[in-house]
Amino acid sequence: MVALAYAVLFSFAVLAHAATQQTLGDTTGFKDTCGRIAAAISSASAVFYPPSEKYTEDIAHWAASSTMQSACSVEPGTPQDVGTILRILGETRTPFAVKGGGHTSNPGFSSTPGVHIAMTRFNTVTVNQTASTVAIGAGLLWDDVYAALDGTGLNVVGGRVRGVGVAGFILGGGYSWKTSQFGLTIDTVVSFELVLPDGTIQTVTSQNEDLWFGLRGGFNNFGIVTKFVLNAHPQGLVWGGFATFLAPFMEEVNKAIVNFHQQWDDKKAAILPTYNTIADLPSVELLMFYDGPEPPDGTFDDFFEILEITKGSMTFPELLNFFPAGNSVPRRGYFSTVPVLDYSPALLDAIVNETFFWGEKLTALDISTFVSYDVEPFDPGLFSHSTTPSAYPPDRSRPLLPTNLYFGWSNADLDTDIAAALRQSTDAVRAAAVADGQDVANAFLYGNYALFGTSVEAVYGANVPRLTAIRKNVDPTNVMGLAGGFKF
C-alpha cells in the first residue's frame, strides 16, 4: 500500500528515462505526437492540453514532487485506443507516462514531459457472484473498489488506506490488511487485460506462463494493463482501532508491538504502527484491524492497557475513512524500504532513534517536514499463498517484512538533501537489523517502496534475466522503455 496517519503509502521506484528527471520538462517537441493521437483515437477517448482543468487533473499526483508538466494528457476509453496510442508513441519514440491512481512518489515514474496517459476512464467494478471474482478497472483507487463492493458480501485483497491506486499497487505486489490470510494481491489475480506494446490486446492468465510471471510484480514493462480480475472472498463487518502515542509511551508501545508480532497467530488480526515526527513532535500512530465485527479477547489488549483506543465495528469502506490518512497539502515525498525478518526490541529502539534524530534535523530545515517509519508485521506464511513463481517476490522462502520509510517536505530546494537523508537513515535501519542478527544485508526490496536509484537486481534478484528476456520478446523495440520505472 504504508506510511500513515498524516500520510499514506504510495509506490516509489527508480527514475528510468533521462528526459523525466526535471519536474518542469521540455514539452515543446512532443506536441505533434499529441496531435497524431487526437486524430487517431475514437470518441471514447480524449486529449487535453495545458492549462485545461482536465489536463491539470490528469497529471496531478498525490506527492507534488511526482507531478511534471507534459505536452498533453490523454484519457483512453477503450483498450483499442490504448493500443493506438502505444503504436504512435513507439513510431515517434515519444516519452510517455501511464498514471493509474497517481500515488507514486517517484519523479518520472508516472510523469513525463511527453504524453501523459491517464487511465481515469477505466473505472468500472464488475462482480461475478457465481465465480466469486471482481473485475477492476486500472484507473480506480481502492476507495472506489471498496465502495462498489459494499453490500455485495464480497471483498478483495487491496490497499490499506485512502488514496492508493489499483494499478501500481497490484503490478508491484500489494500488501493488504488481508495479506496474512490470503497473500499479496498478485496472489489473488485471476487475469490481466493487457495491451501489448504493438497495440494488440491479450487476456493474460496462468496459461500464459511468461507474461503471468512478469506481470505479477513486474510493473509496466510488458504493456499497459487496463483491467484486473481478482478472486474475491466473503466480507462482513470489520473492526478498526486507532490511537496516537506520544514519546513517553514509546517504550510500552514497542513491547506491545513485539508481543503482537511474535506471539499472536490469528491471521485475521493486523496492526500498522508508524513512528512519526511532524513539527518536531515524535509519536507512534497505531492502526489496528480485525477481519470480523469484534476481535477475540486478548488480541489487542497490550495496546488497550497503554492508552484509550478509538475503535469500533464498521463496513470496509468506513474503515478507510476511519483511519486518519492522506496528504492535506501538496507535500513532496520520497519513500525507501528496509526488509526485515523480525521486529525485535533492539530494532524498534533503532527506529525510534531514527525518528527522533531525523525529525529534529529536518524540521530545522523545513518546518513542514514529516518523518515516518512504518512497521509492517505479517504472518510468517505471507508468501506461502501461491506456489507459482512471480517477478516479485524473487524468493518466497524468506518471510521478509517490507518496512517503509517516508520523508515528506514542502520546499523543493531540499529535494537532494532529503533524498540523501533518507538513504542515510535507510542504511542505519538496515545496519540495526543486521546487528540484531538478521540476514538482510542483501535482502530483496519491495519495488513499490524502493527509493530511486535502486537497481532492478535489488528488487528482483535472480529473476532479472528471465524478466529481461520476456520484455525483449513482447517488446523488441522497447516501447515501454520510453516510460519511467524499473526497466529490464
Side-chain angles (χ1 to χ4, degrees):
M1 139 61 308
V2 187
L4 294 162
Y6 299 102
V8 181
L9 262 183
F10 46 83
S11 328
F12 190 47
V14 68
L15 185 63
H17 196 280
T20 64
Q21 292 180 0
Q22 300 178 14
T23 301
L24 296 176
D26 179 8
T27 68
T28 55
F30 311 122
K31 297 291 186 181
D32 288 347
T33 304
C34 295
R36 280 191 60 182
I37 291 172
I41 55 179
S42 75
S43 59
S45 307
V47 173
F48 301 99
Y49 297 91
S52 70
E53 182 177 353
K54 288 295 293 181
Y55 163 87
T56 302
E57 292 175 357
D58 286 346
I59 69 168
H61 287 72
W62 181 84
S65 47
S66 296
T67 300
M68 181 182 297
Q69 295 300 311
S70 301
C72 64
S73 68
V74 55
E75 295 181 5
T78 67
Q80 291 76 16
D81 280 347
V82 173
T84 297
I85 294 163
L86 280 176
R87 283 192 292 268
I88 293 171
L89 292 171
E91 291 168 4
T92 59
R93 308 308 295 177
T94 300
F96 69 98
V98 185
K99 190 186 91 171
H103 205 259
T104 181
S105 67
N106 189 3
F109 230 47
S110 60
S111 56
T112 178
V115 174
H116 188 106
I117 302 172
M119 300 297 287
T120 309
R121 301 189 184 199
F122 292 91
N123 58 8
T124 59
V125 177
T126 305
V127 177
N128 185 327
Q129 290 280 1
T130 302
S132 290
T133 60
V134 179
I136 301 170
L140 292 167
L141 303 181
W142 287 110
D143 316 42
D144 306 317
V145 176
Y146 297 141
L149 294 178
D150 194 24
T152 67
L154 294 175
N155 202 358
V156 292
V157 176
R160 286 174 281 187
V161 294
R162 297 193 302 273
V164 178
V166 164
F169 180 92
I170 297 178
L171 291 172
Y175 290 86
S176 169
W177 288 121
K178 296 168 178 284
T179 285
S180 291
Q181 295 182 76
F182 303 108
L184 303 176
T185 302
I186 55 170
D187 297 331
T188 71
V189 174
V190 176
S191 66
F192 303 86
E193 183 177 74
L194 175 69
V195 182
L196 290 162
D198 65 1
T200 59
I201 302 164
Q202 182 173 346
T203 297
V204 178
T205 69
S206 58
Q207 301 303 307
N208 310 100
E209 186 175 345
D210 281 344
L211 281 173
W212 185 247
F213 174 83
L215 288 173
R216 289 180 303 129
F219 291 110
N220 65 347
N221 281 281
F222 313 105
I224 297 178
V225 175
T226 55
K227 181 172 65 179
F228 305 86
V229 178
L230 306 183
N231 279 316
H233 56 267
Q235 184 67 67
L237 292 177
V238 299
W239 180 94
F242 169 74
T244 301
F245 303 93
L246 298 180
F249 298 100
M250 282 190 178
E251 184 175 352
E252 293 176 81
V253 174
N254 284 1
K255 291 178 181 177
I257 292 170
V258 170
N259 288 341
F260 180 89
H261 177 52
Q262 296 182 351
Q263 299 178 16
W264 200 258
D265 59 2
D266 187 342
K267 296 180 181 181
K268 293 184 177 182
I271 60 172
L272 187 52
T274 68
Y275 293 78
N276 307 320
T277 297
I278 188 169
D280 206 19
L281 179 65
S283 66
V284 179
E285 303 283 351
L286 176 68
L287 307 189
M288 293 166 283
F289 169 79
Y290 191 79
D291 198 4
E294 291 290 338
D297 292 343
T299 307
F300 300 111
D301 285 5
D302 286 349
F303 300 107
F304 295 165
E305 292 172 1
I306 301 172
L307 198 66
E308 182 68 23
I309 304 290
T310 303
K311 59 186 183 295
S313 298
M314 59 200 76
T315 66
F316 209 88
E318 289 172 341
L319 179 79
L320 262 66
N321 291 321
F322 173 74
F323 291 144
N327 256 357
S328 59
V329 296
R331 184 186 299 276
R332 308 179 76 77
Y334 292 153
F335 271 91
S336 186
T337 185
V338 178
V340 301
L341 292 166
D342 185 30
Y343 290 112
S344 67
L347 181 57
L348 293 184
D349 285 344
I351 289 174
V352 169
N353 289 338
E354 289 295 299
T355 306
F356 277 66
F357 176 81
W358 289 109
E360 179 180 2
K361 189 176 182 68
L362 297 179
T363 299
L365 300 178
D366 183 343
I367 191 62
S368 73
T369 296
F370 178 82
V371 170
S372 184
Y373 298 76
D374 297 355
V375 170
E376 304 195 23
F378 292 102
D379 181 81
L382 78 162
F383 293 145
S384 66
H385 296 271
S386 174
T387 58
T388 305
S390 52
Y392 178 88
D395 178 5
R396 287 182 177 261
S397 69
R398 305 184 70 208
L400 291 169
L401 308 171
T403 311
N404 178 255
L405 289 69
Y406 163 54
F407 286 5
W409 71 102
S410 296
N411 183 356
D413 292 338
L414 295 176
D415 288 4
T416 301
D417 293 333
I418 297 293
L422 186 54
R423 288 191 176 93
Q424 187 174 336
S425 188
T426 300
D427 290 343
V429 174
R430 182 185 298 109
V434 171
D436 191 47
Q438 301 187 37
D439 181 17
V440 295
N442 297 301
F444 61 81
L445 307 182
Y446 178 41
N448 271 333
Y449 294 172
L451 184 61
F452 62 87
T454 299
S455 69
V456 290
E457 289 78 11
V459 177
Y460 299 104
N463 283 344
V464 171
R466 182 180 180 187
L467 290 165
T468 302
I470 296 169
R471 195 278 303 163
K472 288 181 177 179
N473 182 51
V474 301
D475 188 14
T477 60
N478 201 17
V479 174
M480 298 310 298
L482 297 167
F486 288 115
K487 293 297 154 185
F488 306 122

